[in-house]
Amino acid sequence: MSRAHGATQSQSPEMGEQKSQHRASNESTDEGTVASKKIGNPRHKNKQTLDYVMRTGLAGGLAACAAKTVVGPLDRVKILFQASNPQFAKYTGSWFGVVTAMRDINRQDGIRGLFRGHSATLLRIFPYAAIKFLTYEQIRALLINSPAQETPIRRLLSGSLAGVTSVFFTYPLEVIRVRLAFETKRDSRSPVSSICRQIYNEQPPSVARSSTTFAPIPIAVVATSTPRSGLLNFYRGFTPTLAGMIPYAGMSFLTHDTASDWLRLPALAPCTTISPPVSRDPTAPPVLRYWAEFIAGGFAGLVSQTASYPLEVIRRRMQVGGAVGDGHRLGMAETCARIWKDAGFKGFWVGLTIGYVKVVPMVAVSFFVYERMKVVLGV
């Protein structure tokens, strides 16, 4: 017993050393596994780097420029319809009105007329889309940290906040673009600098209102208490824009991501996905084939356009308020009342057909180019 016990004791240091080495090996293996997991799943960490932000912003800006160029002529006609341009009001409500309007513009001004205001569009859309896509990726990384958090509400909120952020910084460029596209007569065309001065100097009515109880307010008092002109004119229609951006951007990203998930289901994946390049983030979802990406993007455009279109019509009418009528700024309630008085309920949906024709391919091209640029840029 004692010998056995002594033998056991004599062997215990070696066994203890072996156990400690084995334990250390297991611990190092566990640490290596955890580290490898952290390295293999760097999406949320990497999204906070400047490099990732710049790459996603570049991808989003180029995607939007490509999409806007594809549908530039349709965008011009849609603005003319939405803003009730007198020269083109006769074409609204007709299935062939879009084609006829484009033919008239081409006959009068040529191809350049169909892209009137397109340079201002590109100047606005690049920073707008860059901010929107990079903000979406950042907010999504904060709100969605695991598959369990991949919920429609979080996706909708990520897209809505990204849209609101981007439109806040680029809205003045949108107002300038709409005013450029609204002009149709050759003798009334203005350069961008002239348009900016005109918008800046547009004033609300200076006629004081009277009531049966109080005396009329002196004109001087109105002039000093009411903003006469300034930078606020570049934010005409901003309120309905914010209200419309919540369903538009939110539903756009939500629908695209949801449709992409459907197309990546195991039963469809062999037909809808392709092998990603080596530079692709290994934790990123499989790359969709071009036709599958177009389907997801087109469906997103259809849903988002339907959800936000009435507010878009209100916004357009407010943006051109200084170019028609008495030239004063229109509030959201006043604009709604005018649209209802002129055309009733249908007035809030004027140009929806061309909206579908324009937005569905535009959003499809935008998401397609964005996803492909992410592959090219390795994000």
Side-chain angles (χ1 to χ4, degrees):
M1 289 289 294
S2 60
R3 290 177 60 183
H5 181 67
T8 303
Q9 288 181 340
S10 63
Q11 293 176 359
S12 61
E14 296 178 1
M15 294 178 63
E17 183 178 356
Q18 291 177 357
K19 289 181 179 179
S20 62
Q21 292 177 353
H22 182 66
R23 188 183 306 111
S25 176
N26 288 340
E27 289 178 355
S28 62
T29 303
D30 293 339
E31 292 176 358
T33 303
V34 173
S36 64
K37 289 182 179 178
K38 290 181 180 179
I39 295 174
N41 188 21
R43 290 174 63 81
H44 299 303
K45 182 178 179 180
N46 286 351
K47 285 187 177 182
Q48 308 302 320
T49 63
L50 179 62
D51 178 70
Y52 187 93
V53 170
M54 296 297 292
R55 288 172 184 262
T56 52
L58 177 61
L62 293 177
C65 287
K68 277 291 187 180
T69 301
V70 169
V71 299
L74 292 172
D75 198 25
R76 170 100 199 272
V77 176
K78 192 186 78 165
I79 290 175
L80 295 173
F81 283 5
Q82 286 180 331
S84 297
N85 185 284
Q87 185 177 345
F88 291 88
K90 58 185 177 182
Y91 298 131
T92 60
S94 171
W95 288 103
F96 299 100
V98 176
V99 177
T100 307
M102 292 177 63
R103 185 182 61 191
D104 286 356
I105 295 174
N106 183 57
R107 184 186 300 119
Q108 179 180 349
D109 302 319
I111 296 297
R112 294 182 61 184
L114 294 172
F115 287 91
R116 173 70 174 163
H118 189 62
S119 58
T121 297
L122 297 182
L123 289 175
R124 179 197 70 91
I125 200 63
F126 186 91
Y128 165 79
I131 294 172
K132 183 177 71 172
F133 278 103
L134 71 87
T135 304
Y136 175 73
E137 297 289 354
Q138 295 297 314
I139 296 176
R140 193 179 190 281
L142 294 175
L143 297 181
I144 303 175
N145 295 310
S146 66
Q149 296 179 340
E150 195 82 29
T151 61
I153 296 298
R154 291 176 183 267
R155 284 178 170 178
L156 179 68
L157 184 60
S158 299
S160 299
L161 292 177
V164 169
T165 302
S166 60
V167 78
F168 175 79
F169 288 104
T170 60
Y171 190 78
L173 293 172
E174 166 70 1
V175 175
I176 297 171
R177 179 187 75 91
V178 171
R179 293 292 286 270
L180 285 170
F182 186 72
E183 293 184 352
T184 57
K185 297 180 180 180
R186 293 187 177 183
D187 56 357
S188 65
R189 290 176 186 168
S190 306
V192 175
S193 59
S194 178
I195 290 289
C196 291
R197 286 195 300 269
Q198 179 184 351
I199 296 173
Y200 185 87
N201 293 317
E202 286 169 355
Q203 302 173 358
S206 58
V207 178
R209 298 180 179 180
S210 61
S211 67
T212 57
T213 305
F214 301 98
I217 303 175
I219 299 298
V221 175
V222 176
T224 57
S225 62
T226 304
R228 305 293 296 173
S229 61
L231 296 178
L232 287 179
N233 286 342
F234 289 92
Y235 280 85
R236 285 179 170 174
F238 189 62
T239 301
T241 298
L242 287 181
M245 187 54 63
I246 294 175
Y248 181 80
M251 292 301 297
S252 179
F253 281 107
L254 168 62
T255 307
H256 173 265
D257 290 354
T258 303
S260 298
D261 290 345
W262 292 343
L263 292 169
R264 292 189 179 101
L265 290 174
L268 300 175
C271 299
T272 60
T273 61
I274 58 177
S275 299
V278 179
S279 61
R280 179 73 166 176
D281 184 352
T283 63
V287 179
L288 292 175
R289 295 183 183 274
Y290 72 92
W291 59 267
E293 189 62 63
F294 276 123
I295 289 176
F299 185 52
L302 181 70
V303 174
S304 59
Q305 180 74 354
T306 304
S308 63
Y309 195 79
L311 288 166
E312 184 178 352
V313 173
I314 297 170
R315 172 167 60 100
R316 298 298 191 198
R317 291 289 291 269
M318 293 178 69
Q319 287 173 339
V320 300
V324 296
D326 55 11
H328 78 281
R329 276 198 303 263
L330 297 177
M332 186 172 179
E334 184 180 0
T335 303
C336 292
R338 288 195 177 188
I339 295 174
W340 182 269
K341 181 179 179 181
D342 293 341
F345 179 76
K346 295 171 62 176
F348 293 96
W349 303 93
V350 62
L352 180 59
T353 303
I354 188 176
Y356 285 142
V357 173
K358 189 204 83 165
V359 170
V360 170
M362 183 186 72
V363 177
V365 171
S366 179
F367 275 114
F368 171 77
V369 176
Y370 177 66
E371 293 296 334
R372 288 301 187 270
M373 287 302 301
K374 286 174 65 178
V375 173
V376 171
L377 297 174
V379 295

